[in-house]
Amino acid sequence: MSVRVSYRWRPSPAEAWVSGSITFLYDVDLRTAYTRPPPSRKPSAAKLAEERRERLHSEWEHLKDQALFSVRDYFKEGGSGAKIPDIFHVKLDSYSRGLNNHSAKFWLNHG
């Protein structure tokens, strides 16, 4: 799954605007979460497919929001658009195997 964020910035008010973009990549982990009890009846194939579509859409929306907020926060903190990478693989939360508030912060050292 990916989200591409395009942006415009300028190093100073006297300089020309420069355009750029960053693509955030995310491998969604669709394995079963065992934190919830299993359903009492086995869901149909159609129901499973619908749940998968809904989960993927929800994850994409979350990734989109995280990507936009990340670029916004980077520029708010005084970051230079010239230092933004073309591609960034988001860092997943080790506990939930999903996105968290720091997953898309491309300028942080995630170690």
Side-chain angles (χ1 to χ4, degrees), residues 15-28:
E15 295 186 53
W17 287 95
V18 179
S19 297
S21 67
I22 179 173
T23 301
F24 293 85
L25 300 177
Y26 172 30
D27 293 326
V28 181

Side-chain angles (χ1 to χ4, degrees), residues 59-75:
E59 288 294 312
W60 184 83
E61 286 286 335
H62 193 188
L63 176 62
K64 178 190 67 151
D65 290 344
Q66 290 295 317
L68 289 170
F69 297 149
S70 179
V71 171
R72 177 202 64 192
D73 294 345
Y74 177 73
F75 282 120

